[in-house]
Amino acid sequence: MKTVRTAPQQGKPRLTTSAMIASIAAEGQKTKTAPFGHALVELARSSPDVIGMTADLGKYTDLHIFANEFPDRYYQMGMAEQLLFGAASGLAAEGFMPFATTYAVFASRRAYDFIHQTIAEEDRNVKIVCALPGLTSGYGPSHQATEDLALFRAMPNMMVIDPCDAHEIEQLVPAIAAYRGPVYTRLLRGQVPVVLDEYDYKFELGKAKLIRDGKDALIISSGIMTMRAVEAAQTLKEDRVDTAVLHVPTIKPLDAETILREARKPGRLVVVAENHTVIGGLGEAVAAVLMRSGVHPLFRQIALPDEFLDAGALPTLHDRYGISTAEVTSRIKQWLSYRP
């Protein structure tokens, strides 16, 4: 495991090991504590079929809040992810609705075949909710789920979701419960930023939403990159760059109609921004939709590289791999300056 060591910069505090698991919230940003855990408790009050399951990570997926409220409906399966998902499938077959939580790396890599065979192929009503998506952990490739969206997009019957903030997580919990079938959703845990409430946002399964409009550039984004896109758009406005942001929380099925409608607007640079490897995620999904439909804007992609990433402090890594607000802003300005 390679570790990023950075010399302290003038005027900035020295980053410590705790920054490897730091909140993704900017300094002073509004946050909510454990939105998933609290939303699941609210759902379970009126839905007796809802159960919570985890593989030794209840505290680190905010499922401990559910466990405290409904101890008889909470299943701690130990450090055995294959067992977790196999048991979740069995309970779903008996009429329960399991919300199974772990880290995204363990679901997408360690237990992929068990999910594929026992949940997806059987079309079982299991909700897979996974923390530390993409580059939200500084502990290197063992904990960085940079390819999870590509893997689950390729799995038949599996809906795939990448929420932006606490506001959206609170809304998606009852929404995926109302949907009959397997779902994989990324999870932001702990102190989660609140961003979308300022835009009167309402989550809908399978729907992309225009957060803000703009004539110069369009950022199509999901997950924490929508947060970064909104921040970048506000900064770019100071330089008289008018930037639209289209949030795409449902990666599969993709809202091609809305994406095409926005991408067809003339004269705009189209940038897809995602907290995922450049291979197989939102960027390639959007590019395929555009190509198949004969829509050809000036297209660019902001994503993690196709490589094993370093370990280190998250702010350093986000700058290094181009997904910080500053890097998103800089790249868009550069691309616009070289626009033909």
Side-chain angles (χ1 to χ4, degrees):
M1 181 175 71
K2 297 179 291 182
T3 302
V4 179
R5 294 184 174 87
T6 55
Q9 298 179 22
Q10 189 70 27
K12 289 188 176 182
R14 184 180 180 88
L15 295 172
T16 63
T17 303
S18 63
M20 298 171 78
I21 54 174
S23 169
I24 57 171
E27 185 177 352
Q29 189 172 39
K30 182 170 62 174
T31 63
K32 279 191 176 182
T33 302
F36 167 68
H38 291 295
L40 191 61
V41 165
E42 288 304 309
L43 173 68
R45 293 192 198 282
S46 58
S47 302
D49 58 332
V50 169
I51 60 176
M53 307 181 69
T54 191
D56 204 39
L57 288 171
K59 180 180 178 182
Y60 301 102
T61 59
D62 293 340
L63 197 63
H64 65 291
I65 294 169
F66 178 90
N68 291 338
E69 191 74 21
F70 299 103
D72 58 333
R73 293 158 65 179
Y74 172 72
Y75 293 83
Q76 167 57 274
M77 308 304 291
M79 296 178 68
E81 288 79 15
Q82 296 94 335
L83 175 63
L84 166 67
F85 293 112
S89 175
L91 286 163
E94 295 300 316
F96 294 97
M97 187 191 303
F99 279 72
T101 75
T102 183
Y103 287 162
V105 287
F106 300 148
S108 61
R109 302 205 298 252
R110 184 172 299 172
Y112 187 86
D113 189 50
F114 285 76
I115 295 171
H116 187 284
Q117 295 299 109
T118 68
I119 295 175
E121 185 175 349
E122 299 297 327
D123 199 24
R124 296 277 163 79
N125 195 28
V126 177
K127 316 307 175 185
I128 302 166
V129 184
C130 292
L132 301 188
L135 186 52
T136 54
S137 165
Y139 284 106
S142 65
H143 283 65
Q144 293 162 347
T146 60
E147 64 280 273
D148 61 324
L149 298 181
L151 289 166
F152 281 111
R153 277 185 66 223
M155 188 180 290
N157 286 340
M158 186 65 67
M159 178 176 282
V160 181
I161 303 174
D162 186 16
C164 168
D165 71 344
H167 183 70
E168 185 159 49
I169 290 170
E170 290 174 336
Q171 295 184 25
L172 76 80
V173 168
I176 64 175
Y179 169 78
R180 171 60 180 82
V183 176
Y184 172 79
T185 182
R186 287 174 148 193
L187 172 65
L188 304 174
R189 57 158 300 275
Q191 297 297 324
V192 181
V194 183
V195 177
L196 297 178
D197 61 325
E198 298 181 13
Y199 299 91
D200 195 28
Y201 176 83
K202 179 175 171 52
F203 172 79
E204 293 182 75
L205 284 175
K207 296 295 183 181
K209 298 291 181 72
L210 190 67
I211 304 301
R212 56 178 291 158
D213 208 352
K215 61 181 175 59
D216 297 316
L218 168 66
I219 305 175
I220 301 173
S221 55
S222 70
I224 66 168
M225 293 311 292
T226 293
M227 192 186 320
R228 302 284 185 254
V230 169
E231 292 166 350
Q234 292 168 346
T235 302
L236 288 164
K237 186 177 180 180
E238 298 172 4
D239 291 329
R240 298 183 180 180
V241 176
D242 197 13
T243 308
V245 177
L246 180 66
H247 177 47
V248 186
T250 307
I251 309 299
K252 180 187 175 183
L254 198 64
D255 185 358
E257 180 181 356
T258 301
I259 290 169
L260 289 171
R261 183 192 71 212
E262 293 301 322
R264 282 192 174 107
K265 293 181 180 179
R268 296 200 298 192
L269 167 71
V270 174
V271 179
V272 178
E274 58 185 321
N275 173 33
H276 185 269
T277 173
V278 71
I279 304 296
L282 179 63
E284 289 193 347
V286 170
V289 165
L290 297 179
M291 290 294 291
R292 285 195 294 262
S293 302
V295 178
H296 305 295
L298 181 60
F299 180 89
R300 296 290 184 268
Q301 190 174 359
I302 293 173
L304 300 171
D306 178 27
E307 61 188 60
F308 294 111
L309 307 183
D310 293 328
L314 281 178
T316 301
L317 296 178
H318 284 191
D319 278 337
R320 170 168 294 194
Y321 294 115
I323 65 170
S324 66
T325 299
E327 285 298 310
V328 171
T329 304
S330 175
R331 291 186 185 194
I332 291 175
K333 288 173 67 175
Q334 182 181 21
W335 288 329
L336 284 171
S337 68
Y338 289 103
R339 181 167 51 182

